[in-house]
Amino acid sequence: MGAIDWDRRLFDELIPLPDGTSYNAYLVRGSEKTALIDTVDPEMSQALLDQLASVERLDVLVVQHVEQDHSGSAPLILEKYPDVKIVSSMKAKPMIADHLGIPEERITVVEDGETLSLGNRTLEFIYAPWVHWPETMLTYLREDRVLFTCDLFGSHLATNDLFSSADHPRVCEAAKRYYAEIMMPFAGQIRSHLKKLADYEIEVICPSHGPVHDNSSFILDAYDHWANDLPKNLVLIPHTTMHGSTAMMVDHLIAALTDRNVHVEMFDMTRADLGSYAVRLVDAATVVFATPTVLVGPHPNIVFASYLTGALRPKLKHAAVIGSFGWAGKAAEKTKELCGAVQAEWLDPVFTKGMPKAETFEALGRLADAIAERHKELEAPE
Ligand code: FEO
């Protein structure tokens, strides 16, 4: 069940959705009880209510995650089925009350590993915090070896293909972008969830965004790579320029890195979208921020890029700041501060007063040497 949101172009007023998205809900009918797993974004609740028109009785509503794109239609489900039992994780219970106004006494907490019988079908609840809020849990339908995962393993992709096997390359691209934007900050938790899930026999994975994974190993293997692989021989250069000095430095650095067999991708942060930068952070070993100085700090475009980089917590190993200034400034120090939790080795910054000069280009050459030396054992990016 659920709704395809073909036209949505922004999520959380932050994440671009070039391919729209979907909000998937799942109806599980047992011989004695019927359960609904997740709902849909409140903007599209009528689509779900229409699908439920022929479902006279609903016994259980499983809220796997409280973010409103999945739980937001729960109050309408309660109106339609006044006796339905809401089940959630311990952490979700007060959050459902806070975010949806549903009284806590309507909610039954299930523990990690607890089961709920629907008669000839059994739901097992698996706590999986931080995918993508602290309260998230998964639901395993034992008899059919189906795992419902809400945000985890999803993709922001509006398509009428029910299964990801219909177009693996397109789903893989959308799922990687989704991983970068939403899941990457929680890579540590994801590694531990993958270990936990290895004990389950899983044939089908049903996320609450994008197609169903009828071949579960497709998405499990992809997550294993994204969360565990070493970063690749790839330097990202998010940059902006005001009067051309920083652009000259970027051009020189790209040529120097190319001479040293280092792959480079540059992102003009005036125009680049968040997703295209985020998805390359999954693989990059190094980022070099390139910024002119505005007053005493980085240009606001690079404030955004560096704060975002820190928030996404990629596997970066090395970082640097290059750029220009008019009279003085602390753009390098402030850019580093904005990166917050990034655990990278910071290489020496390169800054020039006004236009770059011979010594600026020599310093960029030394920066390229330092990066190439650190990248020499790394694999090429995909
Ligand atoms: Fe799709 Fe965290 O909600």
Side-chain angles (χ1 to χ4, degrees):
M1 296 193 161
I4 302 175
D5 203 342
W6 298 94
D7 298 324
R8 189 162 180 180
R9 287 292 172 267
L10 202 58
F11 195 84
D12 288 346
E13 296 306 291
L14 174 67
I15 298 169
L17 301 179
D19 301 308
T21 190
S22 69
Y23 320 105
N24 308 337
Y26 297 92
L27 194 74
V28 183
R29 289 185 197 271
S31 55
E32 292 171 19
K33 291 181 179 170
T34 299
L36 179 67
I37 300 177
D38 292 332
T39 71
V40 299
D41 191 281
E43 296 269 318
M44 306 202 87
S45 53
Q46 191 56 48
L48 181 62
L49 291 173
D50 290 347
Q51 292 160 359
L52 289 168
S54 60
V55 178
E56 284 181 13
R57 191 176 131 195
L58 185 68
D59 302 284
V60 179
L61 171 60
V62 180
V63 174
Q64 301 189 106
H65 174 28
V66 184
E67 191 165 14
Q68 290 86 337
D69 51 324
H70 309 293
S71 70
S73 299
L76 294 174
I77 299 297
L78 259 66
E79 260 179 45
K80 180 173 168 63
Y81 303 103
D83 297 326
V84 72
K85 177 163 96 169
I86 296 184
V87 303
S88 77
S89 71
M90 176 82 78
K91 276 219 168 95
K93 183 173 177 173
M95 294 171 77
I96 292 171
D98 286 340
H99 290 278
L100 302 173
I102 294 173
E104 287 199 25
E105 52 271 24
R106 292 296 316 266
I107 303 160
T108 302
V109 165
V110 288
E111 301 293 337
D112 185 27
E114 192 173 330
T115 58
L116 190 156
S117 173
L118 305 178
N120 62 349
R121 290 288 182 277
T122 312
L123 301 181
E124 177 181 340
F125 303 104
I126 303 168
Y127 276 23
W130 294 108
V131 288
H132 101 268
W133 285 5
E135 87 298 5
T136 43
M137 68 175 189
L138 319 179
T139 306
Y140 182 59
L141 177 55
R142 279 185 178 171
E143 291 78 5
D144 301 280
R145 295 175 290 282
V146 174
L147 183 70
F148 302 93
T149 57
C150 202
D151 275 346
L152 184 65
F153 305 130
S155 50
H156 283 312
L157 183 59
T159 169
N160 67 343
D161 290 333
L162 181 58
F163 296 115
S164 57
S165 59
D167 192 349
H168 270 159
R170 185 167 184 235
V171 178
C172 194
E173 188 180 332
K176 186 171 184 179
R177 184 179 169 110
Y178 177 99
Y179 171 86
E181 294 167 334
I182 296 158
M183 294 293 160
M184 189 159 60
F186 312 113
Q189 284 91 344
I190 286 170
R191 285 191 281 273
S192 94
H193 297 336
L194 289 175
K195 278 191 196 144
K196 192 171 177 180
L197 291 177
D199 293 337
Y200 289 80
E201 201 179 329
I202 300 167
E203 285 184 11
V204 175
I205 289 181
C206 296
S208 293
H209 293 293
V212 167
H213 302 296
D214 44 335
N215 170 9
S216 62
S217 59
F218 157 68
I219 196 70
L220 289 168
D221 291 349
Y223 264 63
D224 186 34
H225 282 301
W226 299 333
N228 286 308
D229 281 0
L230 286 173
K232 305 288 194 289
N233 176 17
L234 175 64
V235 175
L236 308 186
I237 307 182
H239 71 95
T240 204
T241 195
M242 289 162 66
H243 298 289
S245 297
T246 301
M248 290 168 70
M249 295 174 70
V250 168
D251 287 346
H252 188 89
L253 181 61
I254 290 172
L257 288 168
T258 305
D259 284 346
R260 292 159 177 78
N261 296 316
V262 176
H263 295 264
V264 181
E265 289 190 27
M266 58 183 259
F267 297 85
D268 174 353
M269 296 311 289
T270 307
R271 293 166 189 83
D273 85 297
L274 177 161
S276 62
Y277 174 62
V279 76
R280 299 312 278 146
L281 282 173
V282 176
D283 297 323
T286 298
V287 63
V288 178
F289 299 97
T291 182
T293 300
V294 174
L295 302 176
V296 293
H299 188 284
N301 289 346
I302 301 304
V303 170
F304 177 72
S306 50
Y307 180 79
L308 177 71
T309 304
L312 293 177
R313 302 172 75 179
K315 292 178 288 190
L316 288 171
K317 296 291 182 202
H318 321 286
V321 190
I322 65 172
S324 55
F325 58 91
W327 49 92
K330 298 198 171 197
E333 295 92 318
K334 286 182 183 289
T335 301
K336 184 176 170 185
E337 280 169 29
L338 284 162
C339 281
V342 165
Q343 301 285 314
E345 173 199 16
W346 286 85
L347 305 173
D348 289 341
V350 180
F351 268 76
T352 177
K353 185 175 183 183
M355 289 175 58
K357 304 155 187 76
E359 63 263 29
T360 318
F361 295 129
E362 283 164 18
L364 289 169
R366 289 194 294 276
L367 176 59
D369 282 339
I371 292 170
E373 173 65 23
R374 285 159 177 77
H375 281 220
K376 66 184 178 191
E377 305 292 335
L378 301 182
E379 288 177 13
E382 292 168 359

